[in-house]
């Protein structure tokens, strides 16, 4: 059931139920961070492997020290610049934070979402929310309430309506190791924007076996249609003549291409717009019964790096 009743959402969460909830990045599958029962429901409903830890969502920075300890000056700088917003910080956890949230790690992921409905919901609760993206493990993240409804149907009692997600890609994940600042996941805030605040960061996001941030699991965000990422769309088209093909392009159409569908993510070349439309477009293309989706690689700067990261994982096989 999709509903905009925030009170109902709050009361379900207080009863240890899990619900779909909106954020500015993607919809989350949310539960009480202090309820082991809710946490287990999240893992089982999502079919998420237990080694993949969850993000804790808080309503304000005043709650941060209830979740994490030893918070460095750089962490506070990033938090004050980007919260509420699509930045997740990896910090040393408070001892009471459940091992099932952190997958046994000594660190915990935290963020404040920048979404009116999410913040109103959090303000009605006396606990934070753990929420992974509300998609079955490995599939495309949801950016509309009905994506969540279609994925989970009666397995969850409610999806809280919050409109289309503005950023449309997940939060950027940043952690700290000794003096180093590490980018664990490209996301809605670009690496360049993070570096403007704290200086150079290291990127560490491709370890598949013992994922430090398994958003880095190599095959992820994948449509069920076969998916190819390329620098040269025309060359790829020649290899697949006669197939039912959809093209996913940045800003320019390919004139005369013999394909079933061409989708331009931003005709005026805005990477923000392209990122915000990416997942919804993948959801739509997946319903077109194509044999193949060919996606064009984006310029590898700003949110182009985030988009390429998702396209690479979608095309991994
Ligand atoms: O934008 C978002 O972050 C969305 C919305 C709902 O907030 N949530 C989201 O959650 O993308 P999920 O579970 O799909 O991705 C969480 C990522 C995973 O890659 C996980 O490995 C990483 O956060 N993570 C969580 N705790 C961590 C930790 N202690 N150390 C490193 N990575 C961690
Ligand atoms: Mg996810």
């Amino acid at each position: 059931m999709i509903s905009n009743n925030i009170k109902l959402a709050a009361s379900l969460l207080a009863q240890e139920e899990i619900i779909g909830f909106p954020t500015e990045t993607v919809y989350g599958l949310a539960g009480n961070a202090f309820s082991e029962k809710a946490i287990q429901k999240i893992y089982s409903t999502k079919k998420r492997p237990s080694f993949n830890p969850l993000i804790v969502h808080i309503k304000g920075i005043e709650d941060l020290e209830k979740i994490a300890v030893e918070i460095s000056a750089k962490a506070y700088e990033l938090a004050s610049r980007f919260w509420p917003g699509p930045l997740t910080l990896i910090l040393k956890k408070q001892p009471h934070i459940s091992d099932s949230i952190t997958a046994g790690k000594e660190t915990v992921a935290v963020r404040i979402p920048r979404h009116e409905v999410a913040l109103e919901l959090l303000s009605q609760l006396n606990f934070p929310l753990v929420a992974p993206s509300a998609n079955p493990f490995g599939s495309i993240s949801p950016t509309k309430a009905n994506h969540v409804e279609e994925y989970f149907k009666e397995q969850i009692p409610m999806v809280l309506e919050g409109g289309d997600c503005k950023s449309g890609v997940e939060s950027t994940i940043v952690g700290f190791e000794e003096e180093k600042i590490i980018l664990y996941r490209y996301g809605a805030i670009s690496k360049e924007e993070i570096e403007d605040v704290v200086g150079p960061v290291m990127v560490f996001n491709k370890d598949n076996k013992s994922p430090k941030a398994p958003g880095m699991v190599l095959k992820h965000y994948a449509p069920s249609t076969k998916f190819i990422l390329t620098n040269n769309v025309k060359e790829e088209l020649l290899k697949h003549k006669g197939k039912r093909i959809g093209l996913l392009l940045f800003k320019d159409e390919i004139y005369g291409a013999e394909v079933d569908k061409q989708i331009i993510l931003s005709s005026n070349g805005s990477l923000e717009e392209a990122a915000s439309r990416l997942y919804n477009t993948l959801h739509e293309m997946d319903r077109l019964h194509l044999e193949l989706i060919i996606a064009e690689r984006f310029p590898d700067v700003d949110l182009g790096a985030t988009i390429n990261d998702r396209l690479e994982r979608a095309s991994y096989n």
Side-chain angles (χ1 to χ4, degrees), residues 5-213:
N5 187 337
I6 299 180
K7 275 219 168 75
L8 174 62
S11 92
L12 288 166
L13 290 163
Q15 294 164 53
E16 302 179 281
E17 292 291 346
I18 64 171
I19 64 161
F21 98 124
T23 81
E24 79 283 33
T25 58
V26 300
Y27 275 75
L29 190 60
N32 177 346
F34 300 149
S35 158
E36 206 50 40
K37 189 171 152 195
I39 296 168
Q40 290 315 323
K41 267 188 207 165
I42 290 174
Y43 280 99
S44 61
T45 306
K46 221 185 121 85
K47 299 201 166 61
R48 181 180 182 106
S50 60
F51 63 72
N52 198 344
L54 306 176
I55 298 175
V56 178
H57 297 70
I58 56 176
K59 64 177 183 302
I61 196 145
E62 65 281 3
D63 287 347
L64 182 58
E65 290 180 12
K66 298 178 193 159
I67 310 294
V69 296
E70 296 173 24
I71 304 159
S72 66
K74 293 233 157 151
Y76 273 116
E77 272 173 55
L78 286 170
S80 60
R81 170 68 183 80
F82 294 113
W83 282 356
L87 171 71
T88 294
L89 292 177
I90 306 295
L91 299 165
K92 188 158 183 216
K93 77 179 187 86
Q94 278 282 4
H96 69 88
I97 298 294
S98 164
D99 278 343
S100 43
I101 293 177
T102 68
K105 288 178 198 300
E106 280 309 301
T107 53
V108 62
V110 196
R111 83 179 191 98
I112 306 176
R114 190 185 200 90
H115 191 292
E116 242 175 71
V117 174
L119 289 171
E120 177 56 33
L121 174 64
L122 284 163
S123 76
Q124 292 188 19
L125 303 171
N126 55 6
F127 47 83
L129 291 173
V130 273
S133 53
N135 50 285
F137 183 66
S139 55
I140 309 164
S141 301
T143 56
K144 292 175 184 280
N146 81 293
H147 294 157
V148 184
E149 179 78 353
E150 277 171 30
Y151 276 143
F152 299 113
K153 306 219 162 69
E154 62 289 340
Q155 283 179 275
I156 55 175
M158 176 180 183
V159 182
L160 180 59
E161 177 62 79
D164 292 3
C165 300
K166 288 216 173 68
S167 298
V169 288
E170 291 82 351
S171 61
T172 302
I173 304 184
V174 174
F176 308 87
E177 278 177 27
E178 286 142 28
E179 292 305 293
K180 295 194 201 84
I181 300 174
I182 318 256
L183 185 100
Y184 287 118
R185 178 174 72 182
Y186 283 97
I189 296 171
S190 69
K191 175 168 172 268
E192 290 86 341
E193 287 175 275
I194 304 282
E195 290 185 326
D196 280 346
V197 178
V198 288
V201 306
M202 283 176 56
V203 178
F204 184 70
N205 74 337
K206 294 236 158 94
D207 180 355
N208 204 23
K209 285 210 192 67
S210 154
K212 287 223 168 164

Side-chain angles (χ1 to χ4, degrees), residues 114 197 246 248 284 316:
R114 190 185 200 90
V197 178
L248 182 60
E284 284 179 358
Y316 190 85

